[in-house]
């Protein structure tokens, strides 16, 4: 906090008294304490909690007769950010707010410093209209330079003349595989103008925690979308002429055939962002208007492999940890692509990994390198499939086997045989719910008695967006209250005496009493860091142990609905119920729970 002039401090003190933020006695006492501690009065005012930095900035601006703006929750458009270059904004701690009568409107930390304002005006060559803002507010806007594709960059991408690269590729024989050498890859990556296009898109995706980038050709343009916290958002649209060279560049970086446009191709690459590396998984497929590319970004640095951090709470967490005490059998997890199944398996391995056991995995691809775990990458081109790899693993004296996915009857039967012969097997299947795993194995041709005797625990899961740190509470609507009562009424306490018991059982503190006409819910505040009020994701889970009663249902080839009914009667919390409980606990929203967990899973 900068030291204020005596006249400005006097005006601030008068305002503090007038607004009843301090009494006269408190003011005198604080000034004496500031002198005694040899600290500025204003700094002590903030450290003692009488005002925060934002309030003090406002008070100081008023004292100096300057207009004030609170930037903490403001989002500035890329077009406005372009009015002041990022390097100048950082140097002068000034950010653009817009234009007014030929003047540039800026917010400055040092707005009352006439010399600093004149320097900035001369530096950019235009007159200024200046507002005062706090350091936190200024820095919140400076971050937006990093989190936005600016209009200048978009304009530059749209203006790229990429015909040379496209023409160069079309001159090559179409029936001949192009094998780019290390030298010409380096030339294309560094010298081609398309390099900036792809780098800008991938940097934007990584900085915004995107899990996927979609490059989608349309009839007359090329659309770029990013999946952030599970939701796709369009970030830019490029001219159709940029499509061939952009896709060729992606193919070169991932060692794919540049001249193959008729069949799908899969590859991989690495993106360096600062001091960390992000693995890229590239899938290219022919579509009506060209070739679609989906790039999956695997940033391992920000992923926690602790079960609690992933959203396992209460009953599901206890059931999982009980299952991990077994020495044989199968633990299976299910869900659609992108629901966190593989991450769950890694978290299970992390729980049991120690020097006394041998863990071998078979994966496609190996997403996380884990110390102490022997990981095998599937390679179908040389005949290393899940099935052939699993046969090999059984000869490596494993205690625990992790198979990335059970895709066919052969792999399913081998996994079951591994479980029967004294191994603990982890794997995944694509089904809509935990109870759907067992009928899915039946559909693959595995005998009912083998499923009943080997499968120990099953997990169904989805990912929902997590409410950001900036949030507010509100009372539920009648429709939301009705939905809460219908969905989780059976799990909510009838009285305050039951609240503590259920808090221990379900893992949620202060559960509301059932049957209310309105519940207190939480929603995030929309900001640049928390779009729509969300930041990050957590899991919704349904977990149950295969009991004797469920084993009997398997032998009778029961449906997933029948199995789910019995599992619920034995204490299973469904994914939708888990979502509603987490919404009542302020971790996510009812809308998110409804979006990812269908009513038929309730």
């Amino acid at each position: 906090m900068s030291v204020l002039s005596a006249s400005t401090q006097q005006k601030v003190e008068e305002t503090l008294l007038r607004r009843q933020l301090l009494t006269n006695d408190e003011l005198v006492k604080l000034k004496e304490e500031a002198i005694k501690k040899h600290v500025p009065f204003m700094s002590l005012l903030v450290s003692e909690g009488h005002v925060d930095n934002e309030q003090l900035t406002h008070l100081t601006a008023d004292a100096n007769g300057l207009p004030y703006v609170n930037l903490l929750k403001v989002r500035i458009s890329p077009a406005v950010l372009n009015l002041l270059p990022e390097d100048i904004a950082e140097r002068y701690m000034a950010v653009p707010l817009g234009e007014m009568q030929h003047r540039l409107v800026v917010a400055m930390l040092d707005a009352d410093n006439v010399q600093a304002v004149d320097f900035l005006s001369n530096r950019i060559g235009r007159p200024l209209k200046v507002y005062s803002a706090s350091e936190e507010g200024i820095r919140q806007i400076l971050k937006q330079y990093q989190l936005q594709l600016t209009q200048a960059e978009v304009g530059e991408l749209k203006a790229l003349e990429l015909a040379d690269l496209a023409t160069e590729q079309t001159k090559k024989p179409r029936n001949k595989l192009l094998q780019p050498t290390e030298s010409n890859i380096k030339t294309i990556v560094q010298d081609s103008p398309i390099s900036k296009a792809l780098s800008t898109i991938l940097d934007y995706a990584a900085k915004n925690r995107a899990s996927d980038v979609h490059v989608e050709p349309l009839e007359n343009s090329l659309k770029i979308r990013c999946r952030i916290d599970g939701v796709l958002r369009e970030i830019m649209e490029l001219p159709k002429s940029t499509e061939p060279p952009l896709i060729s560049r992606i193919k070169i970086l991932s060692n794919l055939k540049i001249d193959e446009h008729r069949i799908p191709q899969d590859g991989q690459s690495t993106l360096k962002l600062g001091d960390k590396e992000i693995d890229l998984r590239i899938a290219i497929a022919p579509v009506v208007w060209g070739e679609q590319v989906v790039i999956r970004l695997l940033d391992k640095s920000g992923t926690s492999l602790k079960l609690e951090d992933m959203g396992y709470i209460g009953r599901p967490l206890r059931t999982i940890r009980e299952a991990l005490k077994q020495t044989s059998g199968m633990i299976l997890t299910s869900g659609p692509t992108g629901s966190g199944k593989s991450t769950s398996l890694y978290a299970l391995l992390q729980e049991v990994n120690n020097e006394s056991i041998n863990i071998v995995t078979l994966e496609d691809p190996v997403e996380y390198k884990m110390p102490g775990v022997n990981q095998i990458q599937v390679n179908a081109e040389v005949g290393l499939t899940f099935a052939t790899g699993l046969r090999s693993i059984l000869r490596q004296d494993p205690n625990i086997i992790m198979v990335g996915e059970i895709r066919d009857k052969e792999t399913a039967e081998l996994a079951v045989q591994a479980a029967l012969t004294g191994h603990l097997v982890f794997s995944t299947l694509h089904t809509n719910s935990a109870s759907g795993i067992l009928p899915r194995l039946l559909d693959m041709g595995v005998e009912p008695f083998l499923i009943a005797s080997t499968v120990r625990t099953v997990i169904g899961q989805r990912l929902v967006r997590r409410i950001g740190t900036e949030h507010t509470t509100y009372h539920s609507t009648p429709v939301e209250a009705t939905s809460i009562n219908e969905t989780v009424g059976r799990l909510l306490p009838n009285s305050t005496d039951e609240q503590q018991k259920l808090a221990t059982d379900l893992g949620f503190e202060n559960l509301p009493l059932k049957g209310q006409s309105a519940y207190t819910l939480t929603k995030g505040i929309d900001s640049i860091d928390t779009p729509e009020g969300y930041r990050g994701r957590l899991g919704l889970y349904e977990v149950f142990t295969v009991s004797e009663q469920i084993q009997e249902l398997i032998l009778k080839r029961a449906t997933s609905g029948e199995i789910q009914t019995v599992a619920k009667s034995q204490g299973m919390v469904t994914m939708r119920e888990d979502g509603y409980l987490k919404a009542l606990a302020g971790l996510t929203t009812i809308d998110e729970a409804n979006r990812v967990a269908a009513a038929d899973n309730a």
Side-chain angles (χ1 to χ4, degrees):
M1 179 64 61
S2 59
V3 179
L4 303 181
S5 67
S7 60
T8 300
Q9 180 169 321
Q10 178 64 35
K11 291 176 183 176
V12 171
E13 291 173 8
E14 291 171 358
T15 305
L16 287 167
L17 294 173
R18 188 174 64 253
R19 296 185 181 179
Q20 298 181 349
L21 295 172
L22 284 178
T23 65
N24 193 59
D25 289 344
E26 288 173 330
L27 179 62
V28 171
K29 185 177 179 181
L30 278 170
K31 292 176 72 173
E32 291 174 351
E33 191 175 347
I35 294 170
K36 184 178 179 181
K37 291 183 175 180
H38 303 288
V39 296
F41 168 69
M42 295 302 173
S43 297
L44 188 63
L45 194 64
V46 173
S47 64
E48 293 281 328
H50 296 285
V51 296
D52 58 28
N53 278 321
E54 202 63 40
Q55 289 174 308
L56 186 55
T57 302
H58 195 174
L59 291 169
T60 307
D62 285 349
N64 288 317
L66 292 169
Y68 158 83
V69 60
N70 185 335
L71 298 177
L72 290 180
K73 296 181 177 66
V74 172
R75 188 180 301 180
I76 304 295
S77 72
V80 172
L81 289 177
N82 258 354
L83 297 173
L84 190 66
E86 181 183 0
D87 60 333
I88 294 176
E90 287 184 348
R91 185 182 308 168
Y92 290 90
M93 286 301 284
V95 293
L97 303 179
E99 293 179 289
M100 180 188 297
Q101 298 174 345
H102 307 295
R103 291 192 295 173
L104 177 62
V105 182
V106 297
M108 289 185 69
L109 178 62
D110 213 7
D112 60 333
N113 187 329
V114 177
Q115 190 176 22
V117 174
D118 286 343
F119 273 136
L120 178 58
S121 179
N122 291 331
R123 178 70 174 80
I124 64 176
R126 60 187 301 186
L128 302 178
K129 166 69 174 174
V130 181
Y131 283 76
S132 179
S134 68
E135 181 176 354
E136 291 89 342
I138 297 287
R139 293 198 182 281
Q140 198 274 134
I141 303 301
L142 288 175
K143 281 197 295 185
Q144 296 180 34
Y145 278 97
Q146 305 299 322
L147 295 171
Q148 299 279 5
L149 280 174
T150 68
Q151 290 295 333
E153 289 173 319
V154 173
E156 187 174 344
L157 293 178
K158 290 186 176 181
L160 289 174
E161 293 296 337
L162 304 168
D164 290 345
L165 180 58
T167 303
E168 182 68 20
Q169 300 303 339
T170 55
K171 289 179 181 177
K172 305 290 183 181
R174 302 290 285 186
N175 60 351
K176 190 175 180 181
L177 172 62
L178 297 178
Q179 292 291 355
T181 65
E182 184 176 344
S183 61
N184 66 28
I185 286 179
K186 186 175 181 181
T187 299
I188 290 172
V189 168
Q190 293 183 348
D191 299 337
S192 169
I194 201 64
S195 175
K196 176 161 184 173
L198 187 57
S199 294
T200 301
I201 291 166
L202 292 177
D203 283 354
Y204 172 88
K207 288 172 182 174
N208 283 273
R209 303 170 293 102
S211 59
D212 302 89
V213 175
H214 290 234
V215 181
E216 301 171 338
L218 305 177
E219 184 176 6
N220 300 308
S221 62
L222 187 67
K223 183 165 65 175
I224 312 295
R225 296 196 290 172
C226 286
R227 188 179 295 279
I228 300 172
D229 291 337
V231 178
L232 276 172
R233 297 186 178 93
E234 183 174 339
I235 62 167
M236 65 190 302
E237 194 168 294
L238 295 174
K240 186 70 173 176
S241 61
T242 63
E243 180 194 334
L246 180 62
I247 291 177
S248 292
R249 165 76 193 282
I250 293 170
K251 288 180 177 179
I252 288 170
L253 291 182
S254 49
N255 293 319
L256 299 177
K257 299 177 184 178
I258 302 173
D259 63 338
E260 179 57 76
H261 308 281
R262 300 162 299 171
I263 60 174
Q265 298 187 75
D266 295 324
Q268 60 187 54
S269 185
T270 303
L271 169 68
K272 277 199 172 183
L273 187 65
D275 59 350
K276 65 181 180 181
E277 286 191 349
I278 298 174
D279 290 339
L280 307 177
R281 302 281 185 256
I282 292 100
I284 302 177
V287 293
V288 173
W289 300 115
E291 290 179 279
Q292 179 188 20
V293 181
V294 176
I295 304 173
R296 171 150 290 186
L297 288 80
L298 298 171
D299 181 6
K300 297 172 278 286
S301 61
T303 303
S304 169
L305 294 179
K306 288 186 64 177
L307 291 172
E308 292 90 344
D309 293 342
M310 293 166 58
Y312 284 97
I313 299 172
R315 289 182 195 173
L317 182 60
R318 288 198 303 276
T319 304
I320 287 291
R321 288 197 163 134
E322 282 299 316
L324 292 176
K325 294 176 182 177
Q326 305 290 326
T327 56
S328 65
M330 298 176 71
I331 299 176
L332 302 175
T333 181
S334 71
T337 301
S339 61
K341 299 187 300 296
S342 296
T343 308
S344 279
L345 292 187
Y346 283 114
L348 298 184
L349 293 180
Q350 189 97 305
E351 284 269 321
V352 298
N353 187 14
N354 62 66
E355 294 182 356
S356 66
I357 60 174
N358 179 23
I359 301 175
V360 185
T361 74
L362 193 61
E363 307 170 57
D364 184 23
V366 175
E367 294 184 12
Y368 300 91
K369 277 79 173 179
M370 297 188 71
V373 176
N374 302 296
Q375 297 172 273
I376 299 173
Q377 168 73 56
V378 167
N379 187 350
E381 290 183 4
V382 297
L384 178 54
T385 63
F386 279 114
T388 57
L390 195 47
R391 288 194 183 93
S392 171
I393 285 175
L394 292 174
R395 293 191 290 272
Q396 295 179 18
D397 186 32
N399 299 98
I400 295 176
I401 299 170
M402 192 264 265
V403 182
E405 184 181 343
I406 295 177
R407 296 177 178 173
D408 51 44
K409 179 181 178 181
E410 186 179 11
T411 306
E413 289 179 338
L414 286 168
V416 166
Q417 289 301 321
L420 282 173
T421 53
H423 304 92
L424 187 58
V425 179
F426 301 157
S427 193
T428 70
L429 285 91
H430 285 277
T431 64
N432 289 328
S433 63
S435 56
I437 288 178
L438 306 174
R440 177 75 181 117
L441 289 172
L442 289 171
D443 292 341
M444 285 183 173
V446 181
E447 291 295 331
F449 72 91
L450 291 176
I451 299 171
S453 57
T454 55
V455 179
R456 299 282 186 264
T457 304
V458 293
I459 307 166
Q461 68 180 78
R462 298 284 192 281
L463 292 177
V464 293
R465 291 179 289 176
R466 188 191 294 265
I467 291 174
T469 52
E470 292 286 327
H471 55 261
T472 184
T473 57
Y474 70 100
H475 291 298
S476 63
T477 65
V479 173
E480 287 174 327
T482 300
S483 184
I484 290 169
N485 288 324
E486 290 176 352
T487 304
V488 290
R490 75 183 186 96
L491 298 172
L492 297 179
N494 289 302
S495 64
T496 52
D497 293 337
E498 287 187 12
Q499 279 180 319
Q500 187 58 48
K501 181 181 176 183
L502 281 174
T504 303
D505 180 27
L506 298 174
F508 298 98
E509 298 290 337
N510 303 318
L511 282 175
L513 300 181
K514 71 169 63 174
Q516 296 184 36
S517 58
Y519 292 87
T520 299
L521 299 174
T522 306
K523 62 181 177 181
I525 296 173
D526 186 33
S527 72
I528 186 65
D529 286 329
T530 55
E532 298 179 46
Y534 299 104
R535 183 173 178 82
R537 291 190 287 177
L538 78 159
L540 304 186
Y541 303 98
E542 55 185 24
V543 185
F544 68 86
T545 300
V546 179
S547 62
E548 289 184 7
Q549 191 175 350
I550 292 176
Q551 286 177 337
E552 291 174 5
L553 290 175
I554 296 170
L555 295 174
K556 295 176 183 176
R557 296 181 178 269
T559 65
S560 60
E562 292 171 322
I563 293 171
Q564 175 131 322
T565 299
V566 172
K568 284 178 67 175
S569 71
Q570 295 177 349
M572 181 187 78
V573 176
T574 69
M575 277 185 280
R576 194 160 186 254
E577 289 171 340
D578 193 32
Y580 272 55
L581 290 173
K582 285 170 178 168
L584 290 170
L587 301 176
T588 188
T589 62
I590 295 292
D591 288 343
E592 273 295 286
N594 288 334
R595 180 177 68 85
V596 305
D600 60 3
N601 285 334

